[in-house]
Structures are given as structure tokens and as C-alpha cells.
Amino acid sequence: ESRGYPYVMKTRKFGYDGYGNMTIKKKNNALVGWKRFTSGEAPRELMAEEFVDFSKELAVMVARNRRGELALYPCSETVQRNHICHTVVAPAVVADDVQQQARDIAVKAVEAIEGVGVFGIEMFLTSEGEVLFNEIAPRPHNSGHYSIEACYTSQFENCIRAVLNLPLGNPNLIAPAAAMMNLLGERSGPGVPDSVVEFMKHDKVKLHLYGKKDSRVGRKMGHVTALGDSADEALGAVTAAASDLLW
Amino acid sequence: ESRGYPYVMKTRKFGYDGYGNMTIKKKNNALVGWKRFTSGEAPRELMAEEFVDFSKELAVMVARNRRGELALYPCSETVQRNHICHTVVAPAVVADDVQQQARDIAVKAVEAIEGVGVFGIEMFLTSEGEVLFNEIAPRPHNSGHYSIEACYTSQFENCIRAVLNLPLGNPNLIAPAAAMMNLLGERSGPGVPDSVVEFMKHDKVKLHLYGKKDSRVGRKMGHVTALGDSADEALGAVTAAASDLLW
């Protein structure tokens, strides 16, 4: 607290989708956060991080097998809404050296923990063009879902290859660009959209429904992915298609 | 027989992989074929067709729903060995007007029978550049397996969309070219290859194993698919990869 406000209070582990972190703007917030995270049966260890006024959020998926072989996915840009991943565009529309910085950081992070499997490394891009490590998700990750259709080998297949110590598959994009949009529940109701007929008229867009029994506001119910000749084209396609799904 | 030899004796229905047809070069062959196809509990109706000295075999997959909407896959070239599909390349490396002829014939064939579902239309290309209808397979077909990875919507998804009378998905290729090679049993033994480790080092190639318990010489055990910037590149990729699978 001697370093001033705002800062971010985080649980060291098991945070996701905004759970397990809180922006502390004044001393009173800190007490609320402290209570929220340390009460309950299993009090959690906390850390404090400087608040980063980022211009973009970046993510890189990395697969690593026991022999230390790596498959490095493109650096993508992720957009969160209410702390939940909303869209992912790959590759991120950033300068080449930013792509490279992000991929270097991702490799260092996975090698530092000698990780085996698939990892999502989340980063901030500051307005000065600096890339800062944020968090590591030790598993197939929302920021890599686009890889199912858009890459020669998906994050899921490479996760299995990695833990079996098999040669890793090609993580590169099949098309120039891809975009993914999460489908978030808009009400309490059934876990399937009212109709997919209008959605199906959208060309080149793939629908994934997670088969959850019920939808709730903000709950991840599925996602859509599109390939494109550019990030804009792919993002336009998923945006238009997702808007034709009625929940 | 008054029209001379050779001709092809075919069962009217249920022929596949060389079963149900026989090239008749002289009268003696005809008696053998007659016995083979008409003996047994359910004698089968036969037809005779002029033997076509083709330069290539072409195939087009067509999806059609109950409203009559069509999704037309590219015209592919199929290569058979011992009457069994060996490789498929899409699009076929033929002149544009041949592509168009083949696609026109495919549509006519499916509309003639008011087909609903997915259909493989097999054709001959003669050395004079003429496209001749050969057979229709009223189902997802080996000549469309490439569509799983290579098209925006696979023949299997479009088959389901068609029979449910839903809008059909985009049948176009994601990449400039694709190739598929069948994996045929080379011995009597288990239904899985000895190892897939060497295979996995091949970039951009997808393996499908059908989970059959046993392999036999010539039995379809699986297939591999590759995308490429050209037919040659894709065909080279599946050829190299398939040769690293040991059965």
C-alpha cells in the first residue's frame, strides 16, 4: 500500500473470468477484497500488482512436451467485457516486434515452470509498446479456441500430444486471420439458443455449443469462430453471426 | 452383346469398391459374371455399359435439402487402384470448362432423382475432354472425405443439414488445394498402425483411423488429408506422410 493506488489484488491461483481479482482504488476496497478472498474454508494467498493502464491485451498459447519441444501459436489479441473474454483475434493487429516480444515472453514463462501440456500466457500491451506478462493459464484456454478451425493443429490436440511426449503439431494459422467470439448467456433459461436457422445462413462461421443445461446472464454457453483474409473480415463475420443467435 | 466387347457388367444397386462390377472382354467372362451376380439368395438386376477408356475419373459431392437448395463441392479427381479409391485431389487439375461440365452433370443427376442428403457423383473424363456420368453414391462418399478439413462445411455436416432441411453450409475449399489418401491394409493384423510417431512429424497432415479391429490386405483402415497451395503440394504431403505409417 506504500506504493499507492490503484493496484490489483489477486489470488495467487485459480483465478479466471474475473473471479479472484479486484482493483483496489482506496484503502476501503482493500478490506472488502481481503475479506472476500481470505474468508471461507480455504483461505487463499494473495498478491498485489501495479495497475496497468494497457492499450491491448495479448495472449499466446504454447504447447510443450516432456522433451522440451515447443509449438508456439500466433500472438492473439483478446478483448474482455466485464472481466470475461469476449473476442479473440489471431494474429493480433500489432507491430511485428510486439508479436515477437509477446512470443518470447510466452516461451520464457512456460520454460520457467518447465511446463508440460498447453498454456495460455496472457499479457498487456502498454501504450508505450511494452509487453508485460500478466497471467498463465496451465491448460487449453479460451484465447486458443480459434485453433480448432484456424490452425493446422488445435490447442487440444497439441495438449494431448504434449502430455504423451509425442511430436507436436503445426500451430500455424491455415488462413491469414481468425476471430472467435464467446456466446454469453443473456438470461436465465435453457442452455441452447432458440434457433440456429438464421445463424446457419452465415458463411464460413463455425458454432460450438457447450451443452450446458441452463443459461445464466454472462455464462459461457459456446463460441463461434470464423476465418478471414483479414482480422476485420473475421471479426465482422463472428459479430454478425453471433447476433443472429437468440438466447 | 451385339454391340461388341469389352463392356462392363454392373449390378444396378449396392456396388462399391469394385464389388458389383466386372469388365467383360469375351463371352466366357459374361457367364462368370452372370453366375457371380445372380446366384445367392437375392439375385440382383444387372446392366451392361460400354467400356470407357477414360483419361481421368472425376467426382463431385452435392448436398441438397428438401427445399431443393444445393451445396456443390468442387470437382475432384479420384485415382483408383484395384477398383478401390486410392487418392482424391480437389480441385481436379482440369480445364475450367471440364470443372463446369462435371458440376453441371452432378447437379442434374441429383435433381433427376430429387435427392435429399449428400451424394457423390462419379464421372469419367475421356481423352476427348468429354465428361461422362458413371455412378451416383447416395451418401457421404470417400471422394468427399477431404471436406472435413479442407472445406468450410464438411460433407457430413451438410448431409445432416440437408436431411433436417436446414440452410446448407459453404462447400468451398479453405485452401487452394487439398488431397486425401486412403490407408489400405497391407496384411492381416491389428486395425491400428504400429506407430504414429514418425507420421506425426509431417506438417499439415491429418490422420483419420476408423477403429476397425483387424486389418486385411486392401481393407480401408483410415485416411490422411492435407491442404496445400497446389494439388502437387497437397498430394506430396499425403504421400510422404502415409508412407511413414507402418501397418
Side-chain angles (χ1 to χ4, degrees), chain B residues 6-23:
Chain B
Y7 67 93
V8 180
M9 182 183 284
K10 287 183 175 182
T11 57
R12 280 190 54 225
K13 296 181 182 176
F14 306 118
Y16 73 100
D17 289 357
Y19 297 107
N21 75 68
M22 191 175 179
T23 303

Side-chain angles (χ1 to χ4, degrees), chain B residues 102-144:
Chain B
R103 287 157 59 101
D104 288 348
I105 289 170
V107 168
K108 273 186 201 161
V110 172
E111 291 187 333
I113 59 170
E114 295 178 23
V116 172
V118 142
F119 300 82
I121 290 81
E122 299 181 86
M123 288 161 277
F124 297 122
L125 175 63
T126 68
S127 42
E128 288 81 37
E130 196 184 4
V131 181
L132 299 175
F133 174 85
N134 177 20
E135 290 183 357
I136 187 163
R139 51 178 166 79
H141 188 246
N142 206 160
S143 65

Side-chain angles (χ1 to χ4, degrees), chain A residues 59-64 71-74 76 88 116-121 137-163 168-172 180 182 208 210 220 223 225, chain B residues 206:
Chain A
V60 175
M61 298 301 307
V62 179
R64 185 173 178 275
L72 193 59
Y73 286 83
S76 64
V88 175
V116 171
V118 141
F119 299 83
I121 290 81
R139 53 179 164 76
H141 189 244
N142 206 161
S143 66
H145 283 0
Y146 70 86
S147 65
I148 299 172
E149 286 88 10
C151 297
Y152 288 101
T153 313
S154 79
Q155 64 170 347
F156 299 98
E157 179 171 337
N158 262 337
C159 183
I160 292 167
R161 290 190 185 211
V163 297
L168 300 174
N170 187 332
N172 292 332
M180 190 251 13
N182 276 330
H208 296 258
Y210 300 156
K220 286 180 183 170
H223 72 266
T225 303
Chain B
K206 284 285 179 181

